Amino acid sequence: MRRTLSRAARQAATAALAALLLAGCASQAVRNLTAAHRPAVSAFELEGRLSASDGERAANGAVTWSHSPTGDEWTVYSPLGQIVGQLVRTPHGAMLLTADGRTERADNADAILPRLLGVPAPIDGLQHWVQAAPRPGARVLSLDAAGRPARISDAGWIIDYMEYAGPAADAPPRRIDAEWGQARIRLVIDQWTPHR
């Protein structure tokens, strides 16, 4: 009986030690992922190709986006090159102009961006996603071989960085896949111009 208790005590101690070691490894992994944080630039322009789906409808085409701390201008084009819509955000609100001449206004761009993209993506999140620079509250879930974010979780969205523009640690993303439930966004960035 005494020998059985001793063996059980050793097993419990071994299990406790293994749990501590695993916790230490997990803490180290979290520290490494946090260290991968990339600072975001405050202004940029990009040109690319966008596809979006809400699980029932899908759309794709070209996109241009000019971002600054005080505003954004999105223009989305059909696959044939016609303007589908344009969204302009200023400190005073947002306005969506559609190809058929309709105008819609809102207090913020998040309220009308889904009408342009077809999915409810957060504009404040998108400006960080296209830079692989997690915003406060977002979590880096995995890194690629160069130490860059490979997967981020942000406000319910999972953002996967499928390709970067080059092998350097500071290379911008080239292809981004994001999903939230049935909503899917794929962005291929053909031209990236940061402004300091």
Side-chain angles (χ1 to χ4, degrees):
M1 179 89 160
R2 189 172 189 180
R3 192 170 184 174
T4 305
L5 289 175
S6 177
R7 184 175 180 201
R10 277 190 303 230
Q11 288 174 339
T14 302
L17 181 59
L20 283 172
L21 288 172
L22 287 174
C25 292
S27 296
Q28 183 63 36
V30 169
R31 277 196 295 276
N32 288 342
L33 295 182
T34 302
H37 180 76
R38 296 159 56 110
V41 297
S42 59
F44 59 80
E45 294 178 20
L46 71 76
E47 296 177 16
R49 290 162 284 144
L50 179 76
S51 63
S53 170
D54 65 1
E56 295 178 8
R57 297 163 296 169
N60 61 65
V63 62
T64 60
W65 181 12
S66 177
H67 170 76
S68 75
T70 58
D72 290 279
E73 186 174 313
W74 286 71
T75 305
V76 175
Y77 302 86
S78 74
L80 297 177
Q82 294 102 351
I83 293 177
V84 172
Q86 184 175 49
L87 186 146
V88 177
R89 179 185 70 88
T90 71
H92 307 293
M95 180 176 63
L96 175 64
L97 308 169
T98 62
D100 61 5
R102 288 182 294 128
T103 301
E104 185 176 342
R105 297 179 193 282
D107 291 336
N108 63 68
D110 284 330
I112 54 177
L113 185 62
R115 296 200 203 2
L116 182 65
L117 298 183
V119 294
I123 199 164
D124 288 339
L126 285 167
Q127 66 182 291
H128 289 271
W129 299 357
V130 298
Q131 300 181 63
R135 63 180 173 161
R139 292 183 305 129
V140 178
L141 301 178
S142 64
L143 302 173
D144 70 4
R148 304 171 296 199
R151 174 172 269 201
I152 292 175
S153 171
D154 185 2
W157 285 85
I158 298 296
I159 304 96
D160 288 307
Y161 294 90
M162 308 305 291
E163 182 183 349
Y164 279 86
D170 62 350
R174 165 114 169 93
R175 185 177 140 208
I176 303 163
D177 288 354
E179 65 178 66
W180 178 54
Q182 294 294 312
R184 304 272 190 279
I185 299 173
R186 172 170 290 169
L187 176 64
V188 177
I189 301 172
D190 296 315
Q191 182 70 42
W192 168 258
T193 310
H195 300 292
R196 304 280 173 193

